[in-house]
Amino acid sequence: MSDALNKCSANETAACCCVDVGTVMDNSDCTASWSRLFDNRQQAEAMLASLTEKARGVESEPCVITPTFSEQPDGVQLDVDFTFCCQAETLIFQLGLR
């Protein structure tokens, strides 16, 4: 049992080897990226509107939304970056998409 306790890092408690949330979420990754191919631009824009609504429901400060539409031989590719003010909001947004 002592070996298991010794393997815990300084940011873990010896009782359960639980990780401090601050070591996992350090606000270094505040951008969520999303991508999908649609049959047409209208479908892509409808999805962007839906995703934007979800992002606005999570944000505490304005989320920077950067969409890119690109014509492909078989449709329209939508790539979007959602940059939130903190990593927790990014995670909440990503979990809400599942």
Side-chain angles (χ1 to χ4, degrees), residues 1-77:
M1 180 80 176
S2 65
D3 288 336
L5 294 178
N6 291 334
K7 291 181 182 176
C8 293
S9 73
N11 293 325
E12 297 174 305
T13 63
C16 68
C17 287
C18 300
V19 177
D20 176 49
V21 174
T23 63
V24 176
M25 297 178 61
D26 59 1
N27 279 335
S28 64
D29 185 11
C30 297
T31 300
S33 296
W34 191 93
S35 182
R36 187 165 156 198
L37 181 67
F38 293 89
D39 291 335
N40 56 55
R41 175 100 183 203
Q42 183 179 1
Q43 290 175 341
E45 287 179 355
M47 179 55 80
L48 177 60
S50 175
L51 293 169
T52 298
E53 183 179 336
K54 289 180 185 207
R56 298 294 180 223
V58 171
E59 68 188 7
S60 61
E61 294 181 19
C63 173
V64 177
I65 302 171
T66 310
T68 303
F69 296 91
S70 53
E71 298 291 330
Q72 303 295 323
D74 50 349
V76 175
Q77 178 75 32

